[in-house]
Amino acid sequence: YQWQSSADFDPGPQLGRIFGLTLDSAGNIYVAPTTVYGGNPNPATIKRVDSKTGQITDFATLPNNGPALGNINYDCISETIYASNHEDGRIYQIDMAGKIVSTYRHSDKDVTIGPAADAGEPNGQFVPLGQRAWAVQSHAGRLYYSVWKEDTGRKGPDSNEIWSVAYADEGGVPDPATAKLEFLAPP
């Protein structure tokens, strides 16, 4: 196979189409599936690539039947991974054993300990624009994340946003009372 352009890049059946990428403290790589570049037969599973052997294994599976995930980020303090889910609009906190620790949904500031129990989810559809978290980045006791409100094909009255929420403690569970708008992107 000869690689021609980013549109031709498909890392193979073990990884599928990926967008999100993060590394843990041991140098292991974690990748999140995407549908931004086309369909993905496995939209719910974050993969782990071992830093020493290169072996690819399933790390965690989130509730998702089609839209796939946004981005992922490893937090060194809580030693957990955050992943945005385009299907239910939640940001998932996952421990290093692949278990869901908590979820946070920007649209209603809902936090769950453990997996969410949203009625009708997963439903195979993207959560509406304005409820769709994308980028995630842990920094200085806060989780920063973007909210996808518009794009080139769907102009909206509001521009995309960057928000942050503080952690309740060093365990990394978001405290919704601390959510604040950080930045409005140009429309």
Side-chain angles (χ1 to χ4, degrees):
Y1 181 80
Q2 184 176 7
W3 182 67
Q4 299 293 323
S5 71
S6 61
D8 294 330
F9 180 70
D10 183 350
Q14 284 194 300
L15 290 180
R17 296 183 190 280
I18 59 173
F19 180 82
L21 181 140
T22 194
L23 286 85
D24 67 16
S25 296
N28 299 304
I29 302 168
Y30 299 82
V31 295
T34 188
T35 57
V36 172
Y37 307 112
N40 195 321
N42 195 4
T45 304
I46 297 169
K47 302 285 189 173
R48 178 183 180 271
V49 182
D50 186 271
S51 65
K52 294 183 179 35
T53 67
Q55 180 182 8
I56 299 168
T57 56
D58 290 352
F59 169 67
T61 300
L62 304 182
N64 196 299
N65 286 337
L69 307 180
N71 212 344
I72 58 178
N73 178 248
Y74 174 75
D75 176 58
C76 298
I77 304 298
S78 64
E79 295 185 346
T80 59
I81 289 178
Y82 295 93
S84 60
N85 188 333
H86 285 169
E87 184 157 337
D88 62 11
R90 291 185 177 275
I91 299 171
Y92 285 75
Q93 180 190 20
I94 307 159
D95 70 17
M96 299 318 291
K99 287 182 51 182
I100 298 169
V101 175
S102 71
T103 72
Y104 169 72
R105 185 170 48 213
H106 169 78
S107 63
D108 60 6
K109 308 302 185 269
D110 181 55
V111 172
T112 66
I113 301 303
D118 296 328
E121 288 294 349
N123 66 4
Q125 303 297 313
F126 276 91
V127 70
L129 291 175
Q131 297 178 24
R132 208 176 291 175
W134 187 293
V136 289
Q137 178 67 50
S138 184
H139 176 71
R142 296 187 75 81
L143 179 65
Y144 291 81
Y145 59 94
S146 63
V147 177
W148 180 4
K149 297 183 105 175
E150 70 170 3
D151 55 35
T152 56
R154 294 165 292 189
K155 299 286 185 189
D158 302 314
S159 61
N160 296 322
E161 302 170 339
I162 306 294
W163 285 75
S164 74
V165 61
Y167 300 128
D169 56 29
E170 288 189 358
V173 175
D175 176 358
T178 65
K180 70 177 185 175
L181 178 64
E182 297 283 349
F183 179 77
L184 286 173

